[in-house]
Amino acid sequence: MSTIHNIESNADPAELARFNQLASRWWDENSEFKPLHRINPHRLEWIDSLVQLADKQVLDVGCGGGILAEAMARKGAKVTGIDLADKPLQIAQWHAQAQDVDVHYAKSSAEAWAEARTGERVEGLAEGRAEKHAGHYDVITCMEMLEHVPSPAAVIQACAEMVKPGGWVFFSTINRNPLSYALAIVAIEYIMRILPRGTHQYARFIKPTELLAMANASGLELRDKHGLGYNPLTQRFRLHGFMGVGYLLAMQKPLLA
Ligand code: SAH
């Protein structure tokens, strides 16, 4: 089995086109991005409670229009957001500037970013020294993104490489079972039409055991987990114990490997 990932091919052009097409509405809280806006305060507080975001070096993988990236920067974190879709990145940049929030955005996959040299924003580096992003971040977030890529294991591996020993990686995605199919696709896309049809592909949903196995194989250890609950009557999300549909995992890279 080859261990070399073709880093350019681990993105689905149809997925990126879909996010490009919707990008102008990213910050409209009543648009297709309503769920991300509604989830955001909950995931932000959860992350902050575990890592205390202020002054942390944070990478947000698949940042889209920057809903989480910007919120983490407002907590005092030094945030870089990466994504492969141009328009969400433009919107993210424009929004952060308009709000006067300092977030650095770049067009990259996680795998390519792990190989890229760090920029001049990195303090304490001798000039001209080639440094990659390996072991560079205190916190990495990769939310609602893994279910849109062909090989989530390669993204997870890159995240594990880029986090410092003792640092944290946060993942969220959608479980794969008949209930998640009924709720995340049939109800959300076809009945309630909160998301456009085709937003999610069932085959790309990931069971928590699978995500955990991939993260463990990359050297990350589980520290916390939650299910994501949605009440269609109040249209509110909350974190709870049931992980049958949406869920979040907090992983940590051990200090001593
Ligand atoms: N993480 C954000 C946005 C989720 S939407 C949030 O939770 O608020 C999913 C994002 O993943 C989109 O912006 C899409 O362009 C991006 N994406 C999809 N495939 C990607 C890939 N291979 N590499 C980087 N970003 C990708």
Side-chain angles (χ1 to χ4, degrees):
M1 198 181 81
S2 167
T3 53
I4 300 169
H5 304 293
N6 181 345
I7 58 178
E8 293 310 322
S9 71
N10 190 22
D12 181 337
E15 296 269 14
L16 300 179
R18 199 172 296 124
F19 287 107
N20 273 326
Q21 204 206 334
L22 299 172
S24 65
R25 296 196 286 281
W26 211 288
W27 284 91
D28 176 351
E29 296 192 13
N30 290 312
S31 71
E32 296 84 350
F33 297 101
K34 185 176 188 168
L36 295 182
H37 287 281
R38 292 278 167 115
I39 295 167
N40 206 46
H42 303 288
R43 60 190 184 179
L44 178 70
E45 291 311 320
W46 175 61
I47 294 167
D48 196 38
S49 73
L50 291 169
V51 303
Q52 289 82 48
L53 281 163
D55 296 321
K56 295 291 191 310
Q57 281 283 354
V58 179
L59 179 70
D60 188 23
V61 173
C63 61
I67 294 171
L68 179 62
E70 213 175 277
M72 293 192 291
R74 285 181 191 279
K75 289 268 186 194
K78 297 171 191 128
V79 183
T80 297
I82 57 171
D83 200 287
L84 278 179
D86 290 297
K87 287 193 179 155
L89 277 174
Q90 283 165 10
I91 297 286
Q93 205 144 22
W94 165 80
H95 195 271
Q97 270 168 11
Q99 298 290 314
D100 211 12
V101 181
D102 191 17
V103 185
H104 176 64
Y105 288 109
K107 183 178 177 181
S108 180
S109 66
E111 299 93 310
W113 198 246
E115 292 297 318
R117 289 179 184 191
T118 53
E120 58 288 344
R121 287 167 53 91
V122 179
E123 290 162 26
L125 265 191
E127 211 176 322
R129 201 175 133 210
E131 276 287 321
K132 297 185 177 175
H133 287 107
H136 188 72
Y137 294 98
D138 300 301
V139 176
I140 299 182
T141 51
C142 181
M143 301 262 159
E144 315 304 326
M145 180 272 193
L146 292 172
E147 70 273 20
H148 299 287
V149 299
S151 170
V155 177
I156 293 165
Q157 173 70 37
C159 292
E161 281 168 20
M162 288 189 283
V163 73
K164 290 176 185 170
W168 292 69
V169 187
F170 295 87
F171 298 110
S172 72
T173 190
I174 304 175
N175 202 338
R176 191 178 69 257
N177 55 44
L179 180 67
S180 72
Y181 179 77
L183 293 180
I185 295 183
V186 179
I188 300 279
E189 294 184 16
Y190 286 80
I191 300 173
M192 292 190 273
R193 299 192 187 168
I194 294 170
L195 295 178
R197 290 179 191 183
T199 299
H200 286 118
Q201 296 169 48
Y202 180 68
R204 289 215 166 127
F205 288 177
I206 306 169
K207 295 183 180 185
T209 49
E210 295 167 343
L211 182 46
L212 196 54
M214 290 187 271
N216 287 158
S218 299
L220 300 174
E221 294 176 357
L222 182 67
R223 294 288 179 260
D224 198 15
K225 58 184 178 176
H226 285 291
L228 190 61
Y230 177 64
N231 181 337
L233 297 178
T234 59
Q235 300 191 6
R236 284 184 196 282
F237 285 92
R238 68 190 173 99
L239 301 189
H240 62 183
F242 177 63
M243 295 176 58
V245 188
Y247 65 95
L248 308 92
L249 300 185
M251 312 290 306
Q252 194 175 22
K253 185 164 170 173
L255 266 177
L256 297 174

